[in-house]
């Protein structure tokens, strides 16, 4: 499949603040052993997940996004009223409409921003960063608040062992700004989709195709349905290809990548992508063991964790890679 060409002379669009929020409640593999026929050994060996965070019933996706956004703005030392644009990547919006981004705008009182959501499943945060880059590079906005937030527990069937062991809740946010530091910030991205296999990963009911009904609820069609093996095979190929392609077209050797920040769906998928690049495991940021798969929030929280906790140095390269429902996949390269 053809990928769009590399960004030519990228303008400096940099991360100037980051924050994340994770619910306090922990759902362990031992808890799941009491809910479905599974085992800690199976889950750890097949996925690398030990536990995940679950939001309580009073907390929605936008509530978590607001908490992450406030931290990112504080870190960026940017007042909410000075935010120009808010993009929220999510597949678990509070409602069909309004957008979760508008609810975040209300929550943080960013009254001068415009706001919208992006739906690209687990690749959503990369799509959102790339979209924001184009707004910032064109000069249409001066800064942007980009969020990946999910309450996947709201669409997870805790009677289905094929899916319920995988997912968790959380939110991550970054503030992007166009700066004057040539050679820094977002350097390149690759966004790809293939709708032919959209049925591999979906929530069948609740949209216009199959509105909510007693039948749809009875048949448990408002939960994630997944063809796990197909998704796994696709994910390994897509993650390997996008990781290698973005590194090669930016003339980067594996040892020059400081942190790979991958989508956290399955540790085996992450390791396959890193191996294809020849990247040592010590340069991979993992959070799958403690948070599971948080869809768009996985890379958002991952990037925020790396920015806040890893003492980045000027010139460090951060490489985000993800795949998700759609099918969608992509990568984005940042030079610190
Ligand atoms: N505990 C115990 N056994 C299980 C469990 C479980 N939780 N889940 C499935 N099994 C069983 C299956 O029933 C199957 O049994 P069978 O052989 O008798 O049929 C057996 O384990 C092996 O199943 P596989 O599907 O072959 O297991 P696999 O090694 O592929 O791992 C997994 C399954 C972890 C789901 C893997 O396929 C995977 O990671 N797929 C990708 C998932 C993914 O990335 N999804 C993205 C969703 S993100 C989004 O967009 C919201």
């Amino acid at each position: 499949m053809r990928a769009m060409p590399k960004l030519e002379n990228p303008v400096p669009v940099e991360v100037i603040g980051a924050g994340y929020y994770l619910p306090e409640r922990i759902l362990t593999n031992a808890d799941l052993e009491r809910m479905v026929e599974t085992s800690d050994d199976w889950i750890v060996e097949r996925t690398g997940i030990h536990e995940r965070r679950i939001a309580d019933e009073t907390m929605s996706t936008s509530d978590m996004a607001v908490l992450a956004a406030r931290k990112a703005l504080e870190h960026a030392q940017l007042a909410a009223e000075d935010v120009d644009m808010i993009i929220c990547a999510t597949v678990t919006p509070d409602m069909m409409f309004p957008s979760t981004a508008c609810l975040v705008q209300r929550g943080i009182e960013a009254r001068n921003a415009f706001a919208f959501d992006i739906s690209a499943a687990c690749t959503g945060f990369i799509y959102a960063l790339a979209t924001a880059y184009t707004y910032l590079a064109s000069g249409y906005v001066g800064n942007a608040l980009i969020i990946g937030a999910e309450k996947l527990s709201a669409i997870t069937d805790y009677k289905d062992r094929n899916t319920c062991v995988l997912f968790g809740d959380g939110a991550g946010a970054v503030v992007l700004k166009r700066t004057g530091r040539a050679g820094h910030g977002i350097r390149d991205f690759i966004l790809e989709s293939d709708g032919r296999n959209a049925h591999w990963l979906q929530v069948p009911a609740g949209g216009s195709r199959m509105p909510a009904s007693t039948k749809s609820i009875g048949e448990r069609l408002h939960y994630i349905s997944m063809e796990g093996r197909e998704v796994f095979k696709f994910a390994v190929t897509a993650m390997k290809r996008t990781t290698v392609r973005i590194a090669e077209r930016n003339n980067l050797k594996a040892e020059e990548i400081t942190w790979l920040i991958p989508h956290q769906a399955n540790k085996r998928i992450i390791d396959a992508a890193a191996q294809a690049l020849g990247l040592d495991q010590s340069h991979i940021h993992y959070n799958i063991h403690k948070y599971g798969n948080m869809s768009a929030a996985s890379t958002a929280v991952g990037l925020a964790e790396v920015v806040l906790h890893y003492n980045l140095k000027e010139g460090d390269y951060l490489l985000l890679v993800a795949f998700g429902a759609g099918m969608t996949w992509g990568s984005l390269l940042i030079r610190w």
Side-chain angles (χ1 to χ4, degrees):
M1 196 170 280
R2 156 181 86 90
M4 297 301 153
K6 179 176 152 35
L7 288 184
E8 266 185 44
N9 303 319
V11 301
V13 169
E14 295 191 68
V15 174
I16 61 157
Y20 61 91
Y21 171 80
L22 295 152
E24 275 172 28
R25 188 180 151 214
I26 294 173
L27 182 69
T28 64
N29 290 350
D31 296 329
L32 284 160
E33 283 176 353
R34 290 188 283 274
M35 295 159 68
V36 288
E37 202 182 319
T38 190
S39 68
D40 177 52
D41 283 351
W42 191 96
I43 301 170
V44 173
E45 189 190 309
R46 297 297 179 105
T47 71
I49 302 169
H50 292 256
E51 57 188 45
R52 61 296 281 146
R53 300 300 179 95
I54 304 293
D56 72 38
E57 61 275 11
T58 63
M59 181 168 266
S60 70
T61 295
S62 75
D63 294 331
M64 289 186 277
V66 163
L67 294 168
R70 283 201 188 117
K71 288 185 190 162
L73 290 176
E74 194 184 332
H75 186 230
Q77 298 187 308
L78 184 71
E81 65 187 30
D82 293 330
V83 174
D84 292 339
M85 175 173 78
I86 303 171
I87 307 179
C88 184
T90 186
V91 289
T92 48
D94 285 28
M95 299 166 234
M96 290 272 263
F97 67 87
S99 70
T100 301
C102 281
L103 300 176
V104 173
Q105 177 188 23
R106 178 172 71 184
I108 63 172
E109 297 182 55
R111 57 179 170 272
N112 296 308
F114 63 93
F116 61 95
D117 286 358
I118 276 189
S119 172
C122 308
T123 325
F125 186 64
I126 289 178
Y127 272 58
L129 290 175
T131 303
Y133 172 87
T134 62
Y135 277 89
L136 283 150
S138 72
Y140 191 69
V141 299
N143 65 55
L145 173 62
I146 311 304
I147 303 163
E150 302 284 9
K151 186 178 179 181
L152 290 174
S153 61
I155 56 167
T156 297
D157 184 352
Y158 287 99
K159 290 191 168 161
D160 176 10
R161 71 174 183 174
N162 291 298
T163 52
C164 74
V165 301
L166 302 175
F167 302 112
D169 303 333
V174 294
V175 179
L176 294 179
K177 186 176 180 214
R178 185 169 170 164
T179 67
R181 300 195 328 139
H184 294 271
I186 294 175
R187 304 300 294 161
D188 194 14
F189 45 80
I190 299 175
L191 307 181
E192 294 183 273
S193 316
D194 185 353
R196 286 174 302 177
N197 295 313
H199 55 282
W200 281 348
L201 201 44
Q202 58 184 357
V203 175
S208 61
R209 169 81 53 200
M210 199 188 295
S213 66
T214 316
K215 183 169 181 286
S216 69
I217 293 168
E219 290 176 5
R220 308 183 79 74
L221 297 175
H222 295 268
Y223 295 121
I224 297 170
S225 106
M226 181 179 80
E227 293 184 27
R229 276 175 216 184
E230 294 301 337
V231 174
F232 186 89
K233 282 186 275 176
F234 155 80
V236 169
T237 309
M239 290 280 274
K240 276 184 183 173
R241 200 173 58 203
T242 196
T243 307
V244 170
R245 191 181 264 173
I246 199 164
E248 277 180 3
R249 76 186 201 176
N250 286 278
N251 300 316
L252 280 177
K253 297 193 193 72
E255 55 272 24
E256 292 172 285
I257 291 164
T258 321
W259 288 108
L260 180 73
I261 305 169
H263 174 48
Q264 313 273 324
N266 187 316
K267 187 171 182 299
R268 290 182 290 151
I269 298 173
I270 297 172
D271 291 345
Q275 258 169 30
L277 193 63
L279 187 73
D280 190 82
Q281 280 212 335
S282 61
H283 292 271
I284 305 173
H285 177 67
Y286 295 103
N287 58 27
I288 188 168
H289 52 294
K290 40 186 187 167
Y291 309 144
N293 177 351
M294 300 184 289
S295 191
S298 277
T299 37
V301 171
L303 177 57
E305 286 178 323
V306 167
V307 169
L308 292 170
H309 307 313
Y310 285 5
N311 199 16
L312 294 174
K313 295 187 298 299
E314 190 161 307
D316 281 352
Y317 277 103
L318 312 181
L319 176 53
L320 282 81
V321 291
F323 72 94
M327 303 302 288
T328 57
W329 66 103
S331 50
L332 183 134
L333 182 68
I334 297 173
R335 182 164 181 270
W336 199 250

